[in-house]
Amino acid sequence: MTTRFEIARLGAHGDGVVDANGGHIFIPFALPGEVVTAAREKDRAQLISVIEPSPQRIDPACRHFTECGGCAIQHLEDQAYRDWKRGLVAHALKARAIDVPVAELVACPPHSRRRAAFTARNTESGLHLGYNKAFSHTLVDIEECPVLLPSIVEAAGILRHLAGIIANTSKPFRFLVTATESGFDVAASDCGKPTEAIRRAATDFAIKSKIARLSIDGEIIVEPVKPMLTFGAATVSPPPGAFVQAVAEAEGTMVSLVTGHMRKAKKVADLFSGCGTFALRLAANSEVHAVEGDGPALAALDRGFRFASGLKRVTVERRDLDRRPLTFKELNAFDGIVFDPPRAGAEDQCKQIARSDVPYVAAVSCNPATLARDLRILIDGGYALKSVVPIDQFLWSHHVEAVALLEKPKKRR
């Protein structure tokens, strides 16, 4: 049944929120102050029409908006959008009784994302490559994307053809594309076991199309050139499917904040180090101990260091920090700590950091809720929160990156 609603505010996922009978109704693509009609189902409703639009409503940047599930909020004017994104971090901190000014959002330009996690599916009508439709498992073929680097969008036909070659299943599968300095790194998973014929065809096509590397379920099928990324003075070849910051400009901002905070630290522990985004830049000024649970990522970091010049010593340790965090006694050997965990955060590790006397800590997170929880632990352990900077690495989505910098008076050892 279609009902008339008035939107009170934006929710944490970018939905318009209606306050109704002590509860809330969430209406995607509606803005605060708007009067809309929508078809309600429990606590959600599908937008039918906007009767009284907000003066902050603008035309979306992409024709796929509202159909494709990749973006949540292209229809809000820029300053209001930035205020909302910054507010996601501010509200998470407030919920943990953390009173610190949150800096203005560091903007992310369109056409800058170098990493795309596509869904692909082979059907009777051909191979479909794109993103899932909003709130469904229906696949939307992508013809344009103002978030991605133009080089990825321009290669859509090549990527779609490659996905069609390797598809040995009728089920949807993941098709991860990363634009590196030496070409596209393509990592497919759950596309079915490749036959010898598929391997030969995929190899020939990848070489012809100048794909740097193609891997399936972690196995390298062909690698004409190594995918390469530059981290400061080091060049790294990440393993197939490895985590890479989505936007190079955002990565640069994060690195600048973190390295600036660690400028007085002679020895730094980089926890959840990945392939070395921070460790290899920090090594220009400090000795670094990089700790990571992913063996191939850690090996890539180590190779990058060994082939670089002009860096201070970098040591590596493979360790599952969720199950076995570094103890406060181990941490006290360092002057600085950097941690950039997955979305679940670093609760147990932060309990150990809080007990340490390490003077400088930098926390990097893509989840404001777990960041706030972890910062609360550190503050309760005697750390002073100096700054929190939100970074719009995930343009037009409800995700936001943040860097928090903390200090503790150094004890005599």
Side-chain angles (χ1 to χ4, degrees):
M1 183 177 70
T2 301
T3 308
R4 184 183 176 107
F5 297 101
E6 184 171 351
I7 308 301
R9 62 190 176 279
L10 276 180
H13 285 194
D15 300 332
V17 180
V18 178
D19 298 323
N21 299 324
H24 308 295
I25 303 168
F26 300 92
I27 307 179
F29 316 121
L31 296 176
E34 291 187 332
V35 176
V36 305
T37 59
R40 180 180 179 182
E41 184 175 347
K42 296 182 180 178
D43 65 344
R44 297 195 66 83
Q46 181 179 355
L47 182 67
I48 303 298
S49 65
V50 179
I51 300 171
E52 297 179 17
S54 165
Q56 296 178 331
R57 177 174 284 274
I58 61 172
D59 292 332
C62 179
R63 60 175 159 158
H64 297 300
F65 182 64
T66 72
E67 184 182 12
C68 163
C71 292
I73 194 159
Q74 288 187 11
H75 56 304
L76 180 62
E77 68 91 17
D78 187 61
Q79 187 56 55
Y81 166 80
R82 294 187 187 199
D83 291 343
W84 171 73
K85 265 284 175 85
R86 176 179 173 273
L88 295 177
V89 177
H91 294 154
L93 296 177
K94 185 177 180 181
R96 294 281 179 171
I98 298 173
D99 184 16
V100 64
V102 176
E104 291 300 313
L105 182 76
V106 177
C108 173
H111 308 292
S112 61
R113 187 180 175 98
R114 63 184 174 188
R115 184 175 176 86
F118 294 118
T119 298
R121 186 170 190 176
N122 209 8
T123 69
E124 292 181 357
S125 61
L127 193 287
H128 297 276
L129 181 73
Y131 299 114
N132 285 334
K133 186 176 181 178
F135 315 110
S136 83
H137 295 293
T138 301
L139 186 58
V140 178
D141 271 303
I142 297 300
E143 301 298 334
E144 65 177 89
C145 181
V147 174
L148 294 177
L149 286 172
S151 60
I152 298 178
V153 179
E154 291 163 5
I158 292 172
L159 297 170
R160 188 174 286 111
H161 190 83
L162 180 59
I165 292 173
I166 65 174
N168 198 17
T169 178
S170 60
K171 296 179 180 179
F173 61 92
R174 181 178 170 85
F175 196 78
L176 180 65
V177 180
T178 304
T180 76
E181 293 156 26
S182 52
F184 291 134
D185 184 15
V186 179
S189 55
D190 301 320
C191 61
K193 187 175 181 178
T195 63
E196 284 305 312
I198 287 174
R199 289 173 183 271
R200 287 194 298 270
T203 296
D204 291 344
F205 185 78
I207 293 171
K208 177 183 175 182
S209 304
K210 295 181 169 55
I211 301 293
R213 179 171 64 194
L214 169 66
S215 62
I216 297 177
D217 293 324
E219 178 193 354
I220 296 175
I221 303 300
V222 60
E223 188 182 64
V225 294
K226 286 191 175 297
M228 303 303 291
L229 296 171
T230 300
F231 297 154
T235 304
V236 172
S237 179
F243 172 78
V244 173
Q245 296 292 349
V247 176
E249 291 90 337
E251 178 181 276
T253 298
M254 290 185 277
V255 166
S256 178
L257 290 166
V258 169
T259 56
H261 191 55
M262 296 292 152
R263 66 188 180 278
K264 295 181 181 179
K266 294 182 179 179
K267 295 183 66 177
V268 177
D270 182 14
L271 311 181
F272 307 93
S273 64
C275 297
T277 301
F278 296 107
L280 293 170
R281 269 99 167 205
L282 288 163
N285 181 67
S286 312
E287 290 187 9
V288 179
H289 183 57
V291 186
E292 167 61 49
D294 186 310
L298 200 62
L301 186 162
D302 188 50
R303 284 194 301 271
F305 163 66
R306 293 182 186 280
F307 283 95
S309 59
L311 298 181
K312 295 187 182 295
R313 186 171 66 138
V314 175
T315 55
V316 297
E317 178 183 356
R318 185 176 182 183
R319 184 162 171 169
D320 185 340
L321 292 169
D322 292 322
R323 295 185 177 183
R324 195 164 65 93
L326 266 68
T327 67
F328 72 94
K329 291 183 179 180
E330 292 174 289
L331 292 170
N332 281 340
F334 302 97
D335 307 300
I337 299 169
V338 178
F339 65 95
D340 182 12
R343 288 186 60 79
E347 183 174 10
D348 289 339
Q349 184 61 79
C350 283
K351 290 176 182 177
Q352 293 297 321
I353 297 172
R355 296 178 66 188
S356 79
D357 58 10
V358 180
Y360 302 107
V361 172
V364 183
S365 174
C366 62
N367 185 340
T370 57
L371 173 65
R373 178 202 65 203
D374 293 347
L375 292 179
R376 181 74 266 167
I377 294 170
L378 296 176
I379 292 167
D380 290 345
Y383 279 93
L385 182 56
K386 296 298 183 179
S387 67
V388 178
V389 180
I391 302 164
D392 195 16
Q393 179 159 220
F394 310 103
L395 185 63
W396 295 319
S397 79
H398 67 275
H399 300 292
V400 59
E401 197 87 33
V403 176
L405 306 177
L406 306 97
E407 292 182 10
K408 178 186 278 190
K410 191 172 182 179
K411 296 178 182 178
R412 292 189 177 184
R413 299 174 183 169

